[in-house]
Amino acid sequence: MIRILEVTTMGRGVWLGIAVAVMATGGCALAQGTPMIPASPISKAEAMVSAANLREQDKFISDDLFEGRYPGLRGGELAAKYIASQFAMDGLQPAGDDGTFLQQVNFVGMKVVPEKTKFELVPAQGNAELLSFGDDYTVSNETLTPETMLDAPIVFVGYGVDAPEYQWNDYAGVDVKGKVILCIVGDPPSDDPKFFAGRALTYYGRWTYKFEEAARMGAVGALIIHRTDLASYGWNVVKNSNTSEKTYLRDDANPRLKAASWIQLEVARKLFAESGLDLDKEFAAAGQRGFKAVELPVKLKATIASTVRRFQSPNVVAMLPGANVAAHAPDRAVLYTAHYDHLGFVPGMKGDNIYNGAADNGTGVAMILEMARVWSDAVHAGELKLPHSVIFSAVTAEEQGLLGSEYLGQHPPIPAKEIALDINYDMLLPIGVQKEINVNGAQRTTFYPEVEATAKRFGLTIVPDPRPEAGSYYRSDHFSLSRVGIPAFSVDAGTLYEGHDRAWGEAKEKYFNENNYHNFSDNFDLTWDFNGDAKLVQFGMDLGWQVIHLSHAVEWKHGDEFEAARLKSEQ
């Protein structure tokens, strides 16, 4: 059942006179076949989770009406206002700006103008080598100006890592101020779980860290050497991700690079050869203790021209206040997040030109909307009493580098120290009822025993990250909350489903990743089965109920990389 309403942006004097279809909020029982989970004080509320509601929400949010939900464009704005209207209709309190549900975020989009951009490697002796944008390198100007120029020496800094906890510093003994660093993607090699987490990628291995650390060290540019096995993705991913518009937080006060660049492995090989060095030997040396950074007899001479687009796009934030709020006592809230943005559309293209993102992340949006409805209905009916708050946020600009959630982490609706846990939902394929889940990151928190026990009660086997070397923990919005100290993880599915063997689940996942992920074909599918996603909504509600009833705060385990941020927030 649907109804029509007029959506308003409260407190801003702006009325949006569009008619949107909105899910009726009546409590529908779970669709037939969805498991009922007993033995929890919240089980009555959980039973009101509706697979049918999830289906209709996902179907609507991935409609062509929303034009791919790109931040700063009409479709993204409509999606945010639709989500806000749902929170309002469900009786949640606004937790955005000025008494609204919208937390506006200022962005700057930077798109390189290839014909006006020039990248040259200039050796001390010999001829300069002109590189081809997209084929040999990618670059973005993080200083957010239409044009920037640099002519600076290149310093090879190995993996570009300063990790005190591992007694590893690739920048030791070298001054890179005003220079361009050259580094390898990934972590220093390790098979020891206590040293750069063994095979699992740490944040030190992520390209975002490499650029951030180079800027902190005073470099004006950074060249990350791509190698497919170390990056876990090919050059085509780098090219496609970095030759379109790149988005930045306008008000980020952190240092920025004039040239944040990737280069092909063979370009790096030539660069080392021009310096009288062998790439393979330098890579091997960089993975050993005692490595010393070296300034190469080559400069990077570059002009980077960009179009600059300034825009706003909101996070949508709502909450159900706990009893602590009225008592003016510290909170220990649970936060649920999911990104609503996607990749927009391609103007002028014939055929299907809209990235509807039904799975990525229409599913996550549908899940937190349904969760908000059920929580709120139970609270307003007097069936649930909340000792602490429950917060919901649909965040923007995830596809641009987790930027909406980064802003949310920097500007939370309540102090970060009062948010006990973030549970994130991102791209849960609705293909059946899961028998496995991946809660990567939960094991790093003191709440993990409760997660294990709850999963067992729900008939869910916790499986490890299938590709730890890919660093998946650092690629979804929960990571942004972790960076400010909030314990956080995503709920992801495994590959084993009721009524099917593992090969079936693996084949379904493989087909989606190879054919539909970040493609025009990620459209709503009438054959989708949302009973499994409904089960994971129940699972998340159960965890949240336990969090807000704990007698102690959830913390990172001692020695975790985010422990220091948590302790700092609690000061």
Side-chain angles (χ1 to χ4, degrees):
M1 179 178 178
I2 61 174
R3 65 174 180 254
I4 305 298
L5 98 152
E6 185 177 57
V7 183
T8 131
T9 308
M10 300 298 292
R12 294 182 180 274
V14 180
W15 290 80
L16 179 66
I18 63 166
V20 295
V22 181
M23 290 287 301
T25 56
C28 302
L30 276 168
Q32 187 175 3
T34 301
M36 305 295 289
I37 310 301
S40 168
I42 199 174
S43 59
K44 183 177 179 181
E46 290 171 6
M48 300 308 292
V49 173
S50 166
N53 281 4
L54 292 173
R55 165 182 290 276
E56 293 305 316
Q57 289 284 16
D58 187 23
K59 182 180 180 181
F60 187 66
I61 202 69
S62 61
D63 190 89
D64 285 355
L65 168 71
F66 295 104
E67 299 174 340
R69 308 189 300 275
Y70 196 84
L73 298 182
R74 180 178 62 178
E77 188 73 9
L78 292 181
K81 290 180 177 179
Y82 171 72
I83 294 165
S85 77
Q86 294 288 272
F87 285 154
M89 289 169 58
D90 290 335
L92 281 74
Q93 291 191 11
D97 302 334
D98 305 320
T100 74
F101 290 97
L102 305 182
Q103 180 188 58
Q104 293 292 349
V105 186
N106 293 309
F107 294 102
V108 179
M110 302 292 293
K111 190 175 190 307
V112 169
V113 182
E115 59 271 19
K116 296 182 180 179
T117 296
K118 189 176 182 180
F119 238 54
E120 284 185 299
L121 299 178
V122 184
Q125 295 181 344
N127 297 323
E129 181 173 1
L130 182 64
L131 302 183
S132 173
F133 179 69
D135 295 324
D136 295 328
Y137 76 99
T138 67
V139 68
S140 186
N141 172 13
E142 296 182 339
T143 63
L144 312 183
T145 58
E147 184 176 277
T148 190
M149 302 176 70
L150 61 160
D151 186 358
I154 298 172
V155 182
F156 178 53
V157 293
Y159 286 87
V161 168
D162 180 7
E165 67 272 36
Y166 300 125
Q167 293 83 52
W168 188 284
N169 185 1
D170 288 324
Y171 287 93
V174 64
D175 182 5
V176 298
K177 290 184 177 66
K179 300 175 183 179
V180 175
I181 68 101
L182 173 70
C183 69
I184 307 167
V185 68
D187 286 320
S190 171
D191 291 319
D192 182 357
K194 296 182 180 180
F195 182 67
F196 287 100
R199 288 181 58 245
L201 186 75
T202 72
Y203 188 56
Y204 294 117
R206 289 281 286 148
W207 59 268
T208 47
Y209 169 82
K210 312 290 187 185
F211 289 151
E212 292 164 357
E213 186 64 16
R216 283 191 289 265
M217 297 301 294
V220 294
L223 306 174
I224 297 178
I225 303 169
H226 173 265
R227 203 175 87 181
T228 298
D229 60 327
L230 299 180
S232 79
Y233 43 81
W235 178 257
N236 64 313
V237 174
V238 175
K239 179 178 179 178
N240 293 340
S241 300
N242 292 279
T243 53
S244 56
E245 183 181 80
K246 295 286 290 182
T247 306
Y248 298 92
L249 290 174
R250 187 195 71 183
D251 303 320
D252 188 351
N254 292 315
R256 304 186 188 217
L257 299 171
K258 290 184 175 182
S261 175
W262 287 78
I263 61 172
Q264 283 264 37
L265 181 65
E266 291 310 308
V267 172
R269 193 179 299 280
K270 292 178 184 178
L271 175 56
F272 279 114
E274 289 282 358
S275 306
L277 300 171
D278 179 81
L279 178 141
D280 295 328
K281 291 180 179 178
E282 293 305 311
F283 269 43
Q288 301 296 318
R289 287 197 179 277
F291 166 81
K292 299 295 182 184
V294 56
E295 183 169 324
L296 306 179
V298 180
K299 288 186 175 183
L300 173 64
K301 186 175 182 179
T303 299
I304 304 162
S306 308
T307 57
V308 181
R309 182 174 73 98
R310 301 180 184 276
F311 64 95
Q312 282 189 328
S313 181
N315 294 323
V316 191
V317 194
M319 69 185 298
L320 293 168
N324 65 285
V325 175
H328 303 288
D331 216 334
R332 283 203 299 271
V334 62
L335 168 65
Y336 296 103
T337 52
H339 77 90
Y340 71 87
D341 66 292
H342 201 47
L343 303 174
F345 65 99
V346 179
M349 177 180 168
K350 294 181 179 180
D352 186 359
N353 67 335
I354 299 176
Y355 293 100
N356 286 309
D360 184 14
N361 187 31
T363 54
V365 172
M367 292 170 82
I368 66 165
L369 285 178
E370 179 65 359
M371 190 179 293
R373 180 190 71 80
V374 173
W375 271 104
S376 186
D377 282 356
V379 168
H380 288 108
E383 296 169 357
L384 293 180
K385 305 293 184 183
L386 304 182
H388 296 283
S389 301
V390 182
I391 306 172
F392 305 88
S393 183
V395 296
T396 187
E398 187 270 354
E399 304 289 8
Q400 284 69 38
L402 315 182
L403 295 180
S405 57
E406 181 179 344
Y407 188 86
L408 179 69
Q410 294 172 356
H411 305 86
I414 61 175
K417 67 180 180 181
E418 296 186 20
I419 300 176
L421 183 70
D422 168 55
I423 300 174
N424 186 60
Y425 290 92
D426 191 351
M427 201 173 77
L428 282 302
L429 284 179
I431 57 175
V433 178
Q434 298 89 347
K435 297 179 70 173
E436 296 176 336
I437 53 167
N438 173 7
V439 287
N440 186 27
Q443 76 279 7
R444 301 165 64 162
T445 75
T446 57
F447 189 60
Y448 191 54
E450 287 84 352
V451 176
E452 287 184 302
T454 306
K456 184 176 181 180
R457 181 157 46 85
F458 273 71
L460 294 166
T461 300
I462 296 177
V463 294
D465 183 355
R467 296 182 64 214
E469 69 280 3
S472 59
Y473 185 81
Y474 308 99
R475 296 182 176 184
S476 198
D477 286 305
H478 60 257
F479 171 56
S480 297
L481 287 307
S482 301
R483 297 187 75 177
V484 298
I486 300 170
F489 61 90
S490 288
V491 176
D492 295 316
T495 56
L496 190 59
Y497 291 80
E498 290 185 4
H500 302 280
D501 60 14
R502 187 174 305 282
W504 181 90
E506 290 174 347
K508 288 284 188 180
E509 182 180 283
K510 183 174 185 290
Y511 181 87
F512 179 85
N513 289 336
E514 292 181 355
N515 295 278
N516 300 331
Y517 176 66
H518 281 198
N519 205 338
F520 299 116
S521 54
D522 182 6
N523 295 316
F524 181 81
D525 188 333
L526 290 172
T527 68
W528 276 349
D529 177 358
F530 283 84
N531 286 296
D533 283 8
K535 180 178 179 178
L536 296 187
V537 168
Q538 293 177 318
F539 176 70
M541 289 184 65
D542 208 291
L543 293 178
W545 180 254
Q546 294 176 61
V547 166
I548 62 175
H549 284 85
L550 289 174
S551 60
H552 55 276
V554 178
E555 302 290 354
W556 296 102
K557 290 182 179 178
H558 181 63
D560 190 87
E561 64 182 298
F562 302 114
E563 180 188 29
R566 186 61 162 179
L567 294 174
K568 182 179 178 180
S569 76
E570 294 171 343
Q571 292 175 355

